């Protein structure tokens, strides 16, 4: 098969799948069901292949077979991995929990690292922004810029504090001041959710535009222009 | 190869021994495995680290050899190796005693000046467990990869039953299983045989079908999100109004028609009025107003995850899975 012909078939398949999936917008139908199953199958097959190509082959198989003297212990990972499949055994089903326990332990231990490595620096980043105008930051031609930055920093700190107060459930919030701060936190969260939602809508629209663009230009792609 | 069989045999023997564990010891054994596996990362995190020269053992040997250095900053005259300017800067940021130990380690006859990365490698923040993090991560990834069979088997078994019993839509089930087999074969085969039928099949299945199905499935959300937006934006309260206004401003700031609405405002960086253009308001909401709220939520999630992790790690969690008789 020539490269041009292969490319044309690839584009044609792309058009068929796109139209097949979009047929659900009209109503539930057999064409959509077919493509849905096809997608699920392809994704499953791809996951198996990616698992081998990207994880097992480079991390396990190659080190083990190229340097068995040093990495002989890796062979024991096969029976260890087989523990997952004891879930199907009536008699020894409990053994599957050993490997799940291992991963629960790993995840728990890593949560210390992620808390310190991901969350805390982010929090520190907002909480340590300058709350006053540094003289050297004031540009003579645009002094408002420095004041606006500081104003934004005050706002960021206020929002951070207020949202955290909103999520503080350790005791009932009866104090009027705490209530008001918590309410402000709720409004700040609504701004954040609105922004996220707006952003998500825009991202999905961009994908839709991409697909429509693909359909419009498919004939050109097939004819090799 | 003999060594590999030994490793495999040891694993199988361990499996066999596990089948002999009496009922009363099963729960404590699972709890112990969970605790020990978590200990590795937790201990690595809590153990103090220091700027080390290659590793702590080497550092100790160097201190024995040269003695503790006086704590005066490193002078350029002391540096006998060729260094890039950024490497020199990095070196001078280190505590003086560490900087001197690094200098002792650097090869004086290196053909090229040493970079900041070279200095970084010699001064990694680590303790004795840190170098083993990669091995632990590899083991974890390999074991996770073995688990994929659980999901695939669950999917395949349902569809094999559909085919065997000729249920309605069994043709789709056959398509699904054929797709799994063909895609796995093509994508793995292409890894070993770069040209030929595997590559052609992979092109057809991956580029022709899967990539397009993937993009279309995600883009279809656009239609559903519009109806979700309608429900979300029905103004019933002050909170919903704030959500609506924020979302509308972000969206308008991202599209030409929205930007055109405030196009009459001068786009001059030195003018305060520029901030009132819709694209700038949208960006301000995204970056300045919503990011601290998101970070506070993230921080709360982190605290929650930490608390839950501790309960699971110490086997204090209760519920059907944890209290079931084994």
């Amino acid at each position: 098969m020539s490269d041009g012909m292969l490319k044309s078939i690839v584009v044609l398949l792309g058009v068929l799948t796109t139209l097949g999936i979009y047929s659900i917008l009209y109503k539930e139908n057999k064409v959509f069901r077919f493509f849905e199953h096809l997608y699920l199958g392809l994704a499953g097959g791809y996951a198996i292949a990616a698992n081998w190509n990207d994880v097992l082959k480079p991390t396990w198989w190659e080190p083990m077979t190229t340097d068995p003297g040093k990495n002989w212990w890796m062979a024991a990972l096969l029976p260890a991995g087989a523990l997952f499949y004891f879930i199907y055994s009536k008699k020894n089903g409990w053994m599957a929990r050993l490997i799940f326990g291992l991963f629960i332990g790993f995840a728990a231990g890593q949560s210390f690292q992620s808390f310190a490595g991901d969350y805390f620096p982010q929090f520190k980043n907002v909480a340590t922004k300058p709350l006053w105008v540094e003289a050297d930051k004031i540009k003579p031609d645009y002094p408002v810029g420095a004041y606006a930055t500081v104003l934004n920093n005050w706002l960021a700190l206020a929002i951070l504090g207020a949202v955290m107060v909103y999520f503080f459930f350790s005791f009932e919030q009866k104090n009027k001041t705490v209530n008001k701060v918590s309410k402000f936190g709720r409004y700040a969260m609504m701004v954040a959710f609105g922004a996220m939602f707006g952003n998500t809508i825009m991202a999905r629209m961009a994908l839709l535009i991409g697909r429509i663009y693909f359909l419009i230009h498919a004939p050109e792609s097939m004819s090799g222009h | 190869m003999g060594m590999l069989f030994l490793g495999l045999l040891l694993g199988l023997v361990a499996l066999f021994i596990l089948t002999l564990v009496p009922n009363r010891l099963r729960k404590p054994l699972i709890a112990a495995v969970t605790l020990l596996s978590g200990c590795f990362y937790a201990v690595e995190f809590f153990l103090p680290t220091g700027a080390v020269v290659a590793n702590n053992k080497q550092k100790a040997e160097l201190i024995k050899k040269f003695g503790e250095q006086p704590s005066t900053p490193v002078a350029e005259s002391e540096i006998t190796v060729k260094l890039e300017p950024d490497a020199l800067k990095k070196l001078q940021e280190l505590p003086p005693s560490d900087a001197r130990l690094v200098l002792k380690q650097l090869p004086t006859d290196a053909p090229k000046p040493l970079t900041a990365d070279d200095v970084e490698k010699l001064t990694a923040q680590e303790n004795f467990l840190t170098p083993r993090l990669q091995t632990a991560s590899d083991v974890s990834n390999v074991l996770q990869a073995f688990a994929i069979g659980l999901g695939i088997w669950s999917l395949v078994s349902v569809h094999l039953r559909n085919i065997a019993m000729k249920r309605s839509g069994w043709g789709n089930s056959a398509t699904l299983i054929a797709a799994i087999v063909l895609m796995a074969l093509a994508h793995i085969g292409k890894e070993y045989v770069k040209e030929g039928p595997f590559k052609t099949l992979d092109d057809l299945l991956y580029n022709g079908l899967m990539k397009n199905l993937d993009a279309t499935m995600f883009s279809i959300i656009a239609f559903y999100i519009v109806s979700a937006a309608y429900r979300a934006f029905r103004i019933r309260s002050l909170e919903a109004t704030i959500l609506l206004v924020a979302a509308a401003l972000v969206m308008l700031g991202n599209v030409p028609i929205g930007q055109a609405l405030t196009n009459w405002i001068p786009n001059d960086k030195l003018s305060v009025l520029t901030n009132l253009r819709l694209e700038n308001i949208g960006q301000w909401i995204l970056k300045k107003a919503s990011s601290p709220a998101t970070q506070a939520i993230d921080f709360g999630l982190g605290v929650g995850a930490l608390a839950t992790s501790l309960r699971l790690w110490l086997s204090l969690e209760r519920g059907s899975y944890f209290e079931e008789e084994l």
Side-chain angles (χ1 to χ4, degrees):
Chain A
M1 194 186 295
S2 71
D3 279 354
M5 193 178 168
L6 181 67
K7 195 183 170 197
S8 297
I9 295 172
V10 163
V11 175
L12 184 66
L13 286 173
V15 172
L16 289 173
T17 52
T18 305
L19 294 174
I21 294 292
Y22 281 153
S23 66
I24 186 72
L25 296 170
Y26 173 61
K27 67 173 189 180
E28 175 72 35
N29 63 82
K30 285 181 178 177
V31 176
F32 172 77
R33 280 272 159 251
F34 169 78
F35 281 113
E36 190 188 28
H37 281 74
L38 182 68
Y39 178 43
L40 199 56
L42 290 171
Y46 182 79
I48 294 169
N51 231 354
W52 175 257
N53 291 341
D54 303 338
V55 183
L56 287 174
K57 185 169 159 255
T59 318
W60 179 65
W61 183 255
E62 282 176 349
M64 190 172 68
T65 50
T66 51
D67 192 358
K70 188 182 162 198
N71 298 317
W72 63 272
W73 59 272
M74 282 188 167
L77 291 178
L78 187 62
L83 278 169
F84 282 115
Y85 299 89
F86 277 83
I87 208 164
Y88 297 115
S89 156
K90 277 198 170 73
K91 190 183 165 200
N92 293 308
W94 72 274
M95 280 165 64
R97 295 194 183 192
L98 281 169
I99 193 93
F100 286 119
L102 181 92
F103 279 106
I104 286 171
F106 271 164
Q110 281 171 330
S111 68
F112 290 109
Q113 309 220 344
S114 65
F115 188 75
D118 302 340
Y119 297 113
F120 213 73
Q122 272 186 37
F123 183 77
K124 199 175 147 193
N125 180 31
V126 178
T128 56
K129 282 180 170 174
L131 298 176
W132 57 90
V133 182
E134 293 167 48
D136 59 333
K137 293 274 181 346
I138 300 174
K139 293 173 184 165
D141 54 348
Y142 189 57
V144 176
Y147 294 108
T149 303
V150 164
L151 200 64
N152 278 328
N153 293 350
W154 275 100
L155 184 70
L157 197 62
I159 290 173
L160 185 81
V163 173
M164 288 187 72
V165 167
Y166 173 81
F167 279 113
F168 205 78
F169 298 130
S170 298
F171 55 83
E172 204 180 344
Q173 297 178 349
K174 285 180 179 171
N175 184 296
K176 271 185 181 176
T177 314
V178 173
N179 258 329
K180 278 182 178 156
V181 171
S182 160
K183 204 175 214 176
F184 172 65
R186 203 163 68 226
Y187 295 152
M189 277 195 299
M190 288 303 140
V191 172
F193 294 149
M196 279 183 221
F197 197 69
N199 228 13
T200 308
I201 291 177
M202 295 314 295
R204 299 295 176 247
M205 286 296 169
L207 278 170
L208 177 63
I209 291 163
R211 293 321 294 165
I212 291 168
Y213 185 88
F214 167 77
L215 287 176
I216 291 169
H217 293 275
E220 291 167 35
S221 307
M222 284 170 75
S223 58
H225 292 118
Chain B
M1 285 310 269
M3 293 296 280
L4 292 185
F5 281 116
L6 177 71
L8 191 63
L9 190 68
L10 283 173
L12 290 170
V13 167
L15 277 189
F16 176 70
I17 291 168
L18 283 174
T19 59
L20 305 176
V21 171
N23 287 14
R24 64 194 164 80
L25 290 181
R26 289 173 181 180
K27 267 192 177 176
L29 183 64
I30 293 165
V33 167
T34 308
L35 183 72
L36 286 173
S37 57
C39 269
F40 174 78
Y41 284 102
V43 170
E44 194 282 330
F45 174 71
F46 285 113
L47 269 185
T49 60
V52 294
V53 183
N55 60 48
N56 282 325
K57 195 177 158 198
Q58 228 172 339
K59 184 175 179 176
E61 281 170 9
L62 281 165
I63 289 172
K64 219 161 97 179
K65 194 171 169 185
F66 299 107
E68 279 287 8
Q69 302 289 333
S71 202
T72 51
V74 175
E76 281 196 53
S77 58
E78 288 180 75
I79 300 168
T80 52
V81 288
K82 284 176 274 180
L83 293 170
E84 296 270 4
D86 56 349
L88 176 67
K89 190 165 167 271
K90 194 151 204 74
L91 199 64
Q92 289 176 327
E93 282 168 4
L94 291 173
S97 58
D98 283 331
R100 283 191 179 77
L101 288 169
V102 170
L103 284 172
K104 297 268 192 296
Q105 278 286 283
L106 295 174
T108 49
D109 56 347
K112 279 193 290 188
L114 294 156
T115 62
D117 279 350
D118 298 325
V119 176
E120 182 81 45
K121 276 175 199 158
L122 292 168
T123 57
Q125 293 282 317
E126 57 180 39
N127 52 45
F128 79 99
L129 282 175
T130 312
R132 284 148 190 94
L133 277 178
Q134 188 56 50
T135 309
S137 162
D138 285 349
V139 166
S140 165
N141 288 340
V142 168
L143 290 174
Q144 277 181 67
F146 284 131
I148 195 175
L150 287 175
I152 297 294
W153 173 245
S154 167
L155 185 69
V156 166
S157 61
V158 167
H159 289 279
L160 281 176
R161 265 198 300 273
N162 283 351
I163 296 167
M165 297 168 100
K166 291 264 171 73
R167 288 178 184 150
S168 80
W170 69 269
N172 289 336
S173 294
T175 305
L176 182 139
I177 288 170
I180 288 180
V181 174
L182 288 172
M183 186 77 196
L185 276 176
H187 216 65
I188 293 172
K190 193 191 72 167
E191 190 75 6
Y192 293 94
V193 187
K194 299 286 176 205
E195 292 296 329
F198 283 126
K199 190 185 175 296
T200 307
L201 186 62
D202 186 68
D203 260 344
L204 292 172
L205 294 177
Y206 182 71
N207 294 325
L209 293 171
M210 194 178 147
K211 262 167 77 171
N212 289 298
L213 283 164
D214 215 23
T216 312
M217 275 288 185
F218 270 100
S219 73
I220 213 167
I221 296 170
F223 295 96
Y224 296 109
I225 214 165
V226 169
S227 67
Y230 169 73
R231 282 194 298 274
F233 294 166
R234 270 190 301 191
I235 302 172
R236 284 184 181 172
S237 62
L238 180 58
E239 283 90 342
T241 312
I242 293 171
L243 193 125
L244 162 68
V245 171
L249 287 170
V250 168
M251 285 191 286
L252 283 170
N254 268 319
V255 290
I257 197 166
Q259 291 165 14
L261 290 173
T262 50
N263 214 16
W264 51 273
I265 298 173
N267 194 7
D268 177 10
K269 274 192 175 175
L270 298 182
S271 163
V272 180
L273 288 174
T274 305
N275 295 313
L276 298 175
R277 288 171 71 101
L278 266 173
E279 63 267 32
N280 293 333
I281 292 174
Q283 282 305 305
W284 180 85
I285 288 172
L286 264 175
K287 287 181 179 168
K288 304 286 183 192
S290 76
S291 98
T294 312
Q295 275 166 350
I297 294 167
D298 268 356
F299 192 72
L301 283 172
V303 173
L306 198 64
T308 309
S309 295
L310 269 172
R311 288 183 63 81
L312 287 165
W313 179 36
L314 302 173
S315 296
L316 299 171
E317 199 54 54
R318 292 285 166 262
S320 61
Y321 185 87
F322 299 90
E323 287 173 338
E324 212 174 89
E325 216 36 65
L326 296 173

